Amino acid sequence: MSNQPLDMASLEHNMYFFNLGNHFQAYEFLGARQTTLDGVTGYRFTVWAPNAKRVYVKGYFNDWQETRMEKVGRTGAWTVFIENAKEWDLYKYVIEARTGEKKEKQDPFAFAYEIAPANASIIQNLPDYQWQDQAWYEKRQKSNVYKEPLNIYEVHQSSWRRHEDGSAYTWADLADELIPYVKEMGYTHIEFMPLMEHPLEMSWGYQIGGYYALAGRYGTNFEHLMAFVDRAHQEGIGLIVDWVPGHFVVNDDAMAYYDGTPTFEYSDPNRANNIRWGSLNFDLGKSQVQSFLISNALFWLEKFHFDGIRVDSVSNILYLDYDEGPWTPNEYGNNVNLEGLGFLRKLNKEVFLRDPSYLMMAEESTAWPGVTANLDHGGIGFNFKWNMGWMNDTLKFFSLDPLSRKYNYKLITFTFMYMFDENFVLGLSHDEVVHGKHSLLGRMPGNSRYDQFCNLRVMEGYRMTYPGKKLTFMGNEIGQFLEWRWYSQLEWEDLNREFNSEYNHFVKSINELYLTKKALHQNDLNRNGISFLEADDADRTIVAYIRQADEAEELVVCVHNFTPVQRDNYRIGVPYPGTYQVILNSEMAEFGGNWEYQQEVFEAEPIPAQRHLYSIEVTLPSMATFLLEPLEIELIDYSSQADAVQKEKEALAKAAQVNQTKAKQPQKAKLPKTKKTRKRKTARK
């Protein structure tokens, strides 16, 4: 991208398409870009400020004196070529409004900025990085993301780990420690909270001021981030970045009212002002804003090789009344943001035109239909949507006293009604462990840490076997008790406490099952992937279902007991005769539970149960997730109703014989044995 011929003719040509809303590499000519003019190499500064009276640039290269810029025809852009400007020089624009008022402004297209409270833009070139991730790219092209496991680890860059002196990890540090950890734990992708420049660190990156710059506190050198992404891909880990196209920081030295008039924001104050977040909403119907934002999305995808983008607060883009305070209806008198809807559809169209294997995820918290539906079918065109309804109901359910959950059983079962309405991601994100909500462990009821971890294990077991792709926030996997704090690292020392390391082992184990058992991911997004065994047992508060892969023999039987009551002689319906083996019992001692022994193999009996002709009888652990899979089974074709009726008759006859035989036999001791008490372990050093 260096030394491109950016003369007036090429600028006018590019600005023509920028103004139409159809230029999606706008960062190549807007901003401070190295170029050669009449054989002289320097930097051309170009900024879009359509209603400014005059525009100047000042910086190291002119001793901070104002150098006047000239108009680029009638395009609304201003430009100047400066011969002695150098990479890493600081600079600012001075915008003179039509009122005569002058304001110093940052460059919206700068690739780097000073760390706040300093606010100058920095000249930086895009590095000519030599990527080594071709094998990953080729694999991604061949993969069907809807049929493959997708297990995302959400990370805040500077608070995952810190050095002993409190300083944040560099990208090289994260490459050495974060990537191996994520791989070992069984996650497929890392999702970073926004990495773009944001002046207020406690905004976690969601109040962006520089969309084309890596936040200075994360290191301004692009090559370091590129090396991290490259290494992650070589290790088989995908990368997703959070992105905020709905609203931007209100700071007067950034994009707010850039040329003295509404430039990037709406002219209607009701639409421009985002009261809830103290920011400004982009005017997504303005063609130049569309060029700015879509160029930015493609910038992070194409230049940095991110595999996908998670779009923040899509609801704020779709609804005119999503915010607090007054709102202005659209031309039809309702609350739909028609410009926002059109922008999202255009964004997804342009992204997938370039590469259908990208991931585009929507954080959308309402029941807006078709968020993940195809554009041709009237949808918005995202790959995936966060299932906020599932998240809210699930966390509310598990925060209840287990013995009262039977009165709130519908919190769990209601989600079954819409589980396939969209391509869902089941997320337990950073938003659920801040602002007094407590950590996931802190939400769990119980009189002891043992009780809390039992609840946490069954909740995670339920999430990882429920249809949908997965996302969890850093720290959830170690059972951290404190809420997440953006200014310090995770409580890694908790792994020295009883139950935490066992829980971490449990998460790793169930992640491995999700990755390796096709039944748990291959049909995550369609009704063929699940058949319910029990969804009406409110009194015992048990939910059971079978997760099914494409092949009939590849299935996992999932039973979740949401109360601290062991269920003896519990009968589970299974579709085929044969033997089934336990692949996970969350109450085993290795996970921090009370079970020392587990019968591993069960024979299916011809006894109808839970709408199946065969069943197995187990001792169902209290407060636990219990998973089985076929070991040796006889497949039966139930496609013929006549065959099914005949099989049922045969099964009933065999059941009668079995029951008669059992009645004559002495009762066997129940297995497995459970301990009534649990001694506290010595904390690991």
Side-chain angles (χ1 to χ4, degrees), residues 314-316 318-319 322 335-336 341 362-373 379-380 385-390 392 414 417-422 424:
V314 169
S315 302
N316 181 61
L318 290 174
Y319 296 96
Y322 184 75
N335 67 342
V336 175
L341 175 60
E363 187 223 7
E364 204 285 303
S365 57
T366 75
W368 184 287
V371 172
T372 59
I380 301 180
K385 169 183 170 175
W386 282 17
N387 194 335
M388 308 295 278
W390 175 92
N392 282 311
F414 178 71
M417 304 296 292
Y418 62 86
M419 63 199 310
F420 298 114
D421 286 0
E422 303 277 2
F424 282 124

Side-chain angles (χ1 to χ4, degrees), residues 17-18 127 134 151 186 205-206 237 257 272 364 400 407 416 448 454 465 492 508 518 553 563 569 577 597 633 676:
F17 291 101
F18 179 83
Q134 187 62 27
N151 193 11
Y206 293 98
I237 301 297
Y257 298 94
E364 204 285 303
L400 298 171
Y407 306 113
F416 302 157
S448 66
C454 281
T465 61
W492 292 104
K508 179 180 177 181
K518 291 183 179 180
E553 67 272 16
T563 62
N569 309 116
Y597 167 79
I633 59 172
K676 299 298 183 182

Side-chain angles (χ1 to χ4, degrees), residues 537-594:
D537 193 353
D539 190 55
R540 292 188 294 183
T541 324
I542 293 172
V543 168
Y545 43 79
I546 294 175
R547 292 299 312 277
Q548 182 67 59
D550 291 340
E551 299 297 327
E553 67 272 16
E554 294 188 35
L555 61 91
V556 174
V557 181
C558 310
V559 186
H560 308 286
N561 183 1
F562 298 133
T563 62
V565 180
Q566 180 172 295
R567 305 297 179 181
D568 297 326
N569 309 116
Y570 185 81
R571 194 160 285 281
I572 304 171
V574 292
Y576 307 115
T579 56
Y580 294 77
Q581 64 180 352
V582 178
I583 57 174
L584 184 128
N585 173 354
S586 67
E587 259 296 270
M588 295 302 292
E590 65 174 304
F591 302 134
N594 270 341

